[in-house]
């Protein structure tokens, strides 16, 4: 079934009673949305089933495809190949599947096809010009099967993918877009009598068009496009855990300047509180970074980065490409005077 209005174009596909998909395109949008619904997968015939989404193109990819690593770095994959040993491939499908946390893409050097996922899935390119993602799977409870019990990945629930082709060197889907699409910010208000202290919902602007009631009287500055507020959580009445990440790798942005280091002034970033003291910790926030004991490796891996002092100047915090920095921030709430 096809649907076309001034707001959206949709194609509804029903593959079976338990598997369907909606393909959606909005005006002015440079990517295609796919929303699938799978399950419950029937097992009465004692046959295992695996449901995939596959995208076939004419790109000559020479056995190469690329997947992300925990939503951060991009790793090159080569079909039927391992970089550190000679592979005797006995599982041509399973042996070429890799974890995909946020994105997978193929390219011929001129054009690129990228698929963004809303959850961690297995993915591969089993033939040149093709991308596939494991949507759901189930193995019957039967002796001789590697999985002895039914294992529905998602049963009767929808998921979504974003698909975008583009020429290399042109603007494309970026990590900030991925955050806004699949991990949108939620703004909420609570009655004052239920809040023991000023609400964090007024703390920072993360949306291009927030509700006016989501902020205090003093506006908050927006984060640079290459920086993501990863964590903002209470660590005590007058202390917050703050974690910031640089979303671009060195050389990833070939058009703009988003792969460069960025320096932030945290004093003007938040509207509900003022940072009075800042200490940097390790990523897990369980010890000060300056006092962290790192393993000393024998091989020469390049210059050793010196740890930053435990107390920092909130007016000048620099993030290097792909760097995540974690801080304990002592704060003074604006509503407390």
């Amino acid at each position: 079934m096809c649907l076309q209005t001034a707001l959206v174009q949709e194609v509804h596909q029903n593959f079976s009673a338990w598997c369907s998909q909606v393909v959606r395109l909005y005006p002015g949008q440079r990517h295609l949305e796919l929303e699938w619904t799978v399950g419950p997968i029937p097992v009465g015939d004692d046959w295992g089933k695996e449901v995939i989404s596959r995208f076939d193109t004419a790109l000559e990819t020479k056995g190469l495809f690329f997947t992300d690593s925990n939503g951060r770095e991009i790793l090159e994959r080569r079909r039927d190949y391992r970089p550190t040993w000679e592979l005797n491939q006995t599982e041509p499908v399973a042996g070429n599947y890799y974890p995909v946390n946020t994105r997978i893409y193929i390219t011929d050097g001129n054009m690129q096809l990228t698929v963004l996922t809303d959850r961690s899935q297995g993915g591969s390119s089993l033939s040149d010009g093709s991308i596939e993602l494991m949507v759901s799977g189930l193995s019957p409870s039967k002796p001789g099967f590697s999985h002895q019990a039914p294992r529905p990945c998602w049963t009767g629930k929808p998921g979504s993918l974003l698909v975008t082709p583009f020429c290399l060197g042109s603007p494309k889907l970026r990590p900030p877009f991925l955050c806004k699409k699949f991990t949108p910010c939620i703004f909420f208000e609570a009655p004052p009598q239920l809040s023991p202290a000023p609400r964090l919902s007024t703390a920072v602007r993360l949306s291009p068009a927030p509700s006016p009631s989501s902020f205090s009287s003093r506006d908050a500055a927006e984060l640079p496009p290459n920086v993501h507020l990863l964590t903002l959580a209470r660590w005590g009445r007058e202390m917050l855990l703050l974690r910031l990440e640089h979303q671009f790798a060195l050389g990833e942005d070939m058009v703009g300047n988003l792969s460069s280091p960025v320096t932030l002034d945290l004093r003007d970033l938040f509207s509900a509180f003022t940072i009075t003291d800042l200490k940097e910790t390790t990523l897990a926030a369980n010890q000060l970074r300056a006092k962290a004991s790192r393993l000393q490796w024998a091989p020469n891996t390049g210059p050793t980065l010196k740890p930053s002092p435990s107390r920092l100047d909130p007016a000048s915090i620099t993030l290097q490409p792909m760097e995540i920095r974690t801080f304990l921030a002592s704060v003074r709430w604006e509503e407390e005077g």
Side-chain angles (χ1 to χ4, degrees):
M1 180 182 72
C2 298
L3 172 67
Q4 183 170 355
T5 69
L7 299 177
V8 66
Q9 300 179 57
E10 287 187 351
V11 175
H12 294 245
Q13 300 173 298
N14 290 309
F15 303 104
S16 68
W18 49 271
C19 183
S20 63
Q21 178 175 262
V22 178
V23 183
R24 189 175 294 117
L25 180 64
Y26 294 97
Q29 189 169 263
R30 302 183 64 251
H31 58 274
L32 194 69
E33 295 187 12
L34 288 87
E35 183 177 290
W36 47 262
T37 303
V38 174
I41 300 177
V43 293
D45 55 6
D46 286 335
W47 281 93
K49 300 175 180 66
E50 293 179 333
V51 183
I52 66 169
S53 286
R54 189 177 70 198
F55 308 90
D56 295 322
T57 72
L59 297 179
E60 297 181 3
T61 54
K62 301 178 181 179
L64 294 178
F65 58 104
F66 301 83
T67 65
D68 69 289
S69 175
N70 293 323
R72 301 284 293 167
E73 296 177 279
I74 296 297
L75 301 178
E76 179 184 284
R77 312 294 192 181
R78 185 185 298 272
R79 191 166 56 248
D80 296 329
Y81 173 78
R82 299 294 186 273
T84 56
W85 77 91
E86 184 175 348
L87 176 65
N88 178 24
Q89 185 62 276
T90 59
E91 294 286 346
V93 176
N96 284 301
Y97 256 75
Y98 294 90
V100 177
N101 299 111
T102 60
R103 55 198 183 275
I104 180 173
Y105 70 85
I106 54 175
T107 179
D108 64 357
N110 296 312
M111 291 290 296
Q112 179 172 315
L113 178 72
T114 304
V115 181
L116 307 179
T117 68
D118 67 341
R119 65 198 70 193
S120 295
Q121 298 174 241
S124 184
S125 175
L126 298 180
S127 60
D128 282 1
S130 177
I131 289 178
E132 68 177 61
L133 288 159
M134 183 68 63
V135 170
S136 186
L138 188 145
S139 295
S141 178
K142 185 175 180 180
F145 280 82
S146 59
H147 298 275
Q148 296 298 312
R151 54 172 187 90
C153 298
W154 301 283
T155 304
K157 295 182 180 180
S160 61
L161 302 171
L162 298 182
V163 185
T164 173
F166 55 83
C167 295
L168 295 184
S170 65
K172 53 190 180 231
L173 290 181
R174 294 297 197 179
F177 172 84
L178 188 64
C179 290
K180 291 180 181 179
K181 185 63 181 179
F182 288 137
T183 56
C185 296
I186 299 174
F187 292 91
F188 63 93
E189 290 291 332
Q193 64 271 20
L194 298 181
S195 301
R199 299 180 295 274
L200 288 184
S201 59
T202 66
V204 62
R205 175 184 294 170
L206 295 176
S207 170
S211 167
S213 62
S214 297
F215 300 95
S216 60
S217 59
R218 180 166 61 86
D219 246 356
E222 291 196 29
L223 288 167
N226 49 359
V227 176
H228 178 221
L229 178 62
L230 195 60
T231 304
L232 181 61
R234 281 192 177 276
W235 215 251
R237 182 172 179 81
E238 296 181 349
M239 184 169 290
L240 300 175
L241 175 65
L242 174 63
R243 190 175 282 117
L244 297 163
E245 67 169 332
H246 195 302
Q247 298 186 92
F248 287 79
L250 187 64
E252 181 182 359
D253 181 43
M254 305 302 293
V255 179
N257 198 33
L258 298 178
S259 291
S260 300
V262 59
T263 299
L264 302 174
D265 185 350
L266 301 185
R267 299 173 304 174
D268 298 326
L269 184 60
F270 303 98
S271 59
F273 56 85
T274 299
I275 296 176
T276 58
D277 186 61
L278 199 64
K279 299 178 183 178
E280 185 166 11
T281 70
T282 58
L283 185 63
N286 60 351
Q287 57 183 322
L288 294 178
R289 184 179 176 186
K291 297 182 179 180
S293 177
R294 301 293 301 270
L295 291 175
Q296 300 298 320
W297 298 97
N300 182 13
T301 56
T304 302
L305 296 178
K306 295 182 179 180
S308 60
S310 58
R311 282 182 171 80
L312 302 170
D313 180 7
S316 180
I317 298 298
T318 300
L319 291 171
Q320 301 295 328
M322 296 302 290
E323 184 180 24
I324 301 176
R325 296 185 69 177
T326 306
F327 307 95
L328 288 179
S330 299
V331 300
R332 181 182 68 251
W333 296 98
E334 293 299 321
E335 294 181 20
E336 292 180 348

